[in-house]
């Protein structure tokens, strides 16, 4: 496994692989790797000759300074984990290597996708995400790039960015990987206290009940029911719950035929923000 921290070294290596007609799969991450990340990498390994994983805590996508400061960094452990899934190349640049002195985002339009859900609560987040992903695509030049459905809005936004900028990369969405108790794996989970970690599976349990209710109840009834459930959970604070159409991510008020829906949720366990989502069936 090769580890590069400069663009120049990584690009040299990529160009050699390209010259040999090898396909490149890319998995961007912020490190503190867990089985969710590894599942993306394993999928990429099956479909590409070479897999590149980036580990970079991108400052421009954080709207909360404390969250950025406290973002877990476990590089040595990450490297060991990456070897277990036969990752080929790891890219671990510094902030200066990527942004030089200018740590700012480009401004994008994602045809309204950016104004829904996370966009309402995390100012500038998706401009930061798109800036770093576009930059990495230019450096890594992947044939395919893999993103988790855990961050479903991010996945849709990346697909939109690729389409609008006609970037030559295929975006693949991968299923949400969960702990045994149902909690969606996240690098932030290790920051939770024992008590918070114990109640956190309530989020997915509620989503599963929502999925059942979606067959018989209307959207307003479900929204009210979810709010009531979280009022009974002192350790979890509901930030938003929304049933939205998959394509536009617009909040649904009624169920329309021919449309696909998903339920999206963001919850605070103390200062730790957790998100999750589930596909719904009418
Ligand atoms: P992050 O390091 O949190 O920025 O995540 C890097 C990539 O891994 C993103 O595409 C995430 O959507 C994906 N990811 C994170 N957690 C999970 C999970 N539990 N299951 C599947 N993919 C995930």
């Amino acid at each position: 496994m090769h580890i590069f921290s400069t663009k120049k070294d990584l690009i040299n290596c990529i160009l050699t692989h390209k010259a040999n007609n090898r396909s490149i799969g890319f998995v961007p991450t912020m490190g503190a790797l867990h089985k969710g990340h590894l599942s993306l990498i394993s999928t990429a390994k099956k479909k590409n000759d070479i897999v590149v994983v980036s580990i970079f805590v991108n400052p421009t996508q954080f709207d909360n300074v404390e969250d950025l400061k406290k973002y877990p960094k476990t590089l040595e452990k990450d490297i060991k984990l990456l070897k277990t899934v036969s990752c080929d190349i790891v890219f671990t640049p510094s902030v200066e290597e990527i942004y030089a002195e200018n740590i700012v985002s480009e401004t994008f339009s994602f045809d309204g996708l950016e104004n829904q859900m996370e966009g309402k609560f995390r100012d500038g987040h998706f401009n930061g995400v798109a800036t770093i992903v576009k930059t990495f695509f230019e450096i890594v030049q992947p044939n395919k790039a893999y993103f988790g459905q855990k961050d479903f809005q991010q996945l849709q936004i990346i697909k939109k960015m690729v389409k609008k900028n006609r970037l030559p990369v295929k975006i693949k969405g991968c299923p949400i990987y969960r702990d045994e108790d149902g909690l969606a794996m996240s690098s932030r989970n290790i920051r939770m206290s024992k008590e918070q970690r114990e109640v956190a599976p309530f989020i997915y349990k509620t989503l599963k009940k929502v999925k059942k209710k979606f067959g018989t109840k209307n959207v307003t009834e479900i929204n009210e029911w979810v709010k009531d459930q979280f009022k009974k959970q002192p350790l979890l604070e509901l930030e938003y719950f929304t049933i939205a159409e998959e394509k536009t991510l617009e909040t649904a008020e009624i169920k329309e035929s021919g449309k696909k829906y998903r339920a999206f949720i963001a919850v605070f366990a103390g200062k730790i923000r957790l998100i999750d989502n589930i596909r719904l069936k009418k």
Side-chain angles (χ1 to χ4, degrees), residues 107-239:
T107 305
F108 294 84
S109 160
F110 306 106
D111 298 344
L113 292 177
E114 70 276 31
N115 301 325
Q116 307 296 334
M117 301 180 297
E118 294 296 284
K120 290 185 186 146
F121 293 93
R122 301 189 69 188
D123 199 24
H125 171 65
F126 289 119
N127 278 330
V129 169
T131 300
I132 192 63
V133 171
K134 190 161 161 268
T135 303
F136 279 159
F137 283 175
E138 280 157 14
I139 301 169
V140 178
Q141 302 171 50
N143 301 84
K144 297 189 180 113
Y146 296 80
F147 293 84
Q149 289 177 344
K150 157 125 190 311
D151 303 280
F152 193 83
Q153 186 172 12
Q154 168 176 286
L155 169 66
Q156 299 296 65
I157 279 180
I158 300 293
K159 282 184 181 165
K160 179 73 79 179
M161 177 192 76
V162 163
K163 201 170 175 196
K164 283 186 122 178
N165 291 281
R166 299 200 184 128
L167 304 181
V169 51
K170 281 207 174 84
I171 302 302
K172 303 286 180 186
C174 303
I176 302 174
Y177 200 94
R178 299 179 180 283
D179 251 323
E180 273 168 23
D181 57 13
L183 178 67
M185 289 208 173
S186 161
S187 304
R188 290 181 175 90
N189 291 354
I190 52 176
R191 288 181 51 208
M192 274 188 270
S193 69
K194 190 167 164 275
E195 292 76 17
Q196 289 167 339
R197 180 62 191 81
E198 268 167 24
V199 295
F202 180 79
I203 299 167
Y204 183 54
K205 275 191 196 130
T206 307
L207 286 183
K208 278 199 294 190
K209 288 186 187 158
V210 164
K211 189 177 176 107
K212 259 197 181 157
K213 286 183 187 289
F214 196 67
T216 54
K217 305 268 185 231
N218 69 40
V219 175
T220 314
E221 285 168 328
I222 297 174
N223 289 342
E224 290 306 316
W225 180 82
V226 171
K227 275 188 211 154
D228 282 347
Q229 296 306 300
F230 277 90
K231 278 184 198 148
K232 296 177 205 155
Q233 278 295 342
L235 290 182
L236 299 175
E237 191 196 331
L238 181 65
E239 185 174 54

Side-chain angles (χ1 to χ4, degrees), residues 23 25 38-51 85-86 88 144 146:
S23 61
L38 300 186
S39 70
L40 266 58
I41 297 163
S42 298
T43 306
K45 274 299 284 184
K46 284 185 202 132
K47 304 282 180 184
N48 300 275
D49 300 320
I50 299 293
V51 171
V85 286
S86 308
D88 301 287
K144 297 189 180 113
Y146 296 80

Side-chain angles (χ1 to χ4, degrees), residues 57-117:
V57 181
N58 174 34
T60 63
Q61 72 188 67
F62 283 79
D63 56 319
N64 178 326
V65 184
E66 199 190 331
D67 191 27
L68 172 59
K69 263 200 220 153
K70 294 214 167 135
Y71 201 84
K73 291 197 177 78
T74 58
L75 187 58
E76 265 181 43
K77 188 173 160 232
D78 291 351
I79 302 280
K80 279 190 193 144
L81 283 174
L82 289 173
K83 284 182 182 161
T84 67
V85 286
S86 308
C87 169
D88 301 287
I89 298 173
V90 192
F91 184 43
T92 58
S94 64
V95 171
E96 296 72 42
E97 179 70 11
I98 296 300
Y99 286 102
E101 253 103 74
N102 201 20
I103 308 176
V104 290
S105 304
E106 240 183 86
T107 305
F108 294 84
S109 160
F110 306 106
D111 298 344
L113 292 177
E114 70 276 31
N115 301 325
Q116 307 296 334
M117 301 180 297

